[in-house]
Amino acid sequence: MTETGMTETGMTETGMSETNASSEVRILVLQHDASDPLLRVGDWLADADAIVDILRLYDDDDVPADLTGYQAVISLGGEMGAYDDDIAPWLPATRDLLAHAVNTRTPTLAVCLGSQLLAVATGGTVTIGAEGPEVGAYLTAKRDAAEQDPLFDPLPMTPDVMQYHYDVVSTLPPGAVLLLSSTGYPHQAWRIGSAAWALQFHIEASAEDLRAWGRTEGREPVGRLGPVLDQAEEVMGEVWRDFTARFVEFARTSTARSSTSYTHHDDELLGRRLPLHGHQ
C-alpha cells in the first residue's frame, strides 16, 4: 500500500516542526489490515500536530517490545479476530505491547479489533456477538463515569458512531470503566487504567469506507448503510475529530507514565486465551 509521505522504513510522519520538539507527541500506530488504515483520523492527528509512525503489521513490520520514544499508541481494526494468532501471527506481540502500554500509563487508543485486543491483553474476554453483527450507523449513550473522563466528558449524551464488527468484548477487564453503551451490545467504549481507551466502533472510517467494506460481503447500501450513515458521518466528523485532538493533548500533557515492569498478575492476565475465530 502506498501513502503520501511514506519513508523507506515503511512509516508515515505528519505534523510538528523540529522547533516544537519540547511538546512533541509521537504516536505509534498499529495497522492490522490493509483495508483499515488511519483514514480521516490521520488528518485529525495532523491537525493536532502529532507525529505518526505507522507499523503495517500485515506487511511484516515488527511489533516493538516497548514504547520507548513514543508518547502514545493507537491500535486499529482488521478482519481477523482478537485470538486469531494463526491468521495474524503478530497478535501475541500486539497484546503484550498493549498490556505494556496500560502498565506504563502510556496514552492508548484502541479501535474495534484494537479494543478487543486491549480487552484480552488486560483480562477481558471477546466472543462472537450473540445478537449478530453491528454494521452501519448506530447511537450510543454516555454512562455516568464519562462525566469524569478527560476524553469523554465533552461528548454529546448520545454520540453517533459507525459500526462494523461481528465479535464483541463480552466481559470487560477487571477494573475497566464503562463510558459508552448501547441497547445491542453494552461495552461500546471503556477505559482501563488511567490512560487507555477502547472503542468498539470505527471513528476513522467515512460512510463510503463502511459501504466499501459492506460491498465485499454483498451488503446493499440500505438501512443502516443508507442515508442515515451519511448523516452519522457528518456529525461524527466534528465530535470525534475533537475527541482525537483531546487524545493528542492528553498525551502531550500527561505526566502519569511510569517505567513499571509487568507484575505476576499482569502475566496471568496475558495468559488468558480462547480458540475463537471471528471477523472484525
Side-chain angles (χ1 to χ4, degrees):
M1 182 174 65
T2 301
E3 291 190 15
T4 302
M6 182 183 293
T7 68
E8 292 182 359
T9 61
M11 294 183 179
T12 299
E13 293 191 3
T14 61
M16 297 177 65
S17 66
E18 295 296 329
T19 57
N20 288 329
S22 62
S23 59
E24 176 179 287
V25 176
R26 184 176 291 271
I27 300 176
L28 182 67
V29 175
L30 306 176
Q31 183 180 340
H32 302 281
D33 196 312
S35 68
D36 193 6
L38 272 176
L39 299 170
R40 58 183 181 167
V41 167
D43 295 330
W44 298 342
L45 292 171
D47 291 343
D49 291 329
I51 297 173
V52 177
D53 289 348
I54 302 173
L55 293 182
R56 294 169 180 82
L57 305 178
Y58 59 89
D59 201 24
D60 296 328
D61 282 347
D62 292 328
V63 179
D66 58 40
L67 290 162
T68 301
Y70 292 101
Q71 287 70 53
V73 60
I74 296 174
S75 184
L76 295 172
E79 292 187 3
M80 66 289 295
Y83 304 99
D84 286 344
D85 299 357
D86 54 337
I87 298 173
W90 61 87
L91 292 185
T94 299
R95 293 190 295 262
D96 288 352
L97 185 65
L98 292 174
H100 169 78
V102 173
N103 198 38
T104 57
R105 302 177 186 177
T106 302
T108 301
L109 182 59
V111 177
C112 211
L113 169 66
S115 73
Q116 296 165 8
L117 291 167
L118 179 62
V120 175
T122 54
T125 56
V126 174
T127 57
I128 297 174
E131 302 301 319
E134 288 185 312
V135 177
Y138 285 79
L139 285 177
T140 58
K142 288 170 69 174
R143 302 298 295 259
D144 289 346
E147 296 181 3
Q148 285 77 49
D149 186 89
L151 301 192
F152 280 80
D153 180 34
L155 290 182
M157 289 303 297
T158 55
D160 289 89
V161 299
M162 294 184 188
Q163 305 272 17
Y164 210 112
H165 66 95
Y166 288 78
D167 297 346
V168 298
V169 177
S170 49
T171 305
L172 289 177
V177 177
L178 185 60
L179 301 169
L180 290 182
S181 193
S182 72
T183 55
Y185 296 111
H187 304 148
Q188 292 293 336
W190 45 276
R191 188 187 71 247
I192 182 72
S194 61
W197 289 269
L199 312 178
Q200 178 57 76
F201 43 88
H202 291 275
I203 63 173
E204 78 283 14
S206 67
E208 184 49 39
D209 292 324
L210 221 67
R211 292 187 182 112
W213 296 343
R215 284 194 294 272
T216 67
E217 297 185 323
R219 296 182 184 273
E220 297 294 328
V222 296
R224 293 185 184 274
L225 288 173
V228 65
L229 190 62
D230 298 294
Q231 298 167 14
E233 176 188 357
E234 182 177 357
V235 175
M236 288 179 66
E238 179 178 346
V239 170
W240 296 103
R241 178 197 64 205
D242 293 347
F243 173 91
T244 302
R246 289 193 295 275
F247 176 73
V248 173
E249 186 60 23
F250 182 90
R252 179 172 287 118
T253 60
S254 177
T255 58
R257 305 181 196 95
S258 73
S259 58
T260 307
S261 60
Y262 294 126
T263 64
H264 178 67
H265 179 62
D266 292 325
D267 291 334
E268 289 179 345
L269 295 182
L270 287 171
R272 294 189 191 178
R273 304 284 185 258
L274 294 177
L276 172 69
H277 291 276
H279 287 81
Q280 178 61 36

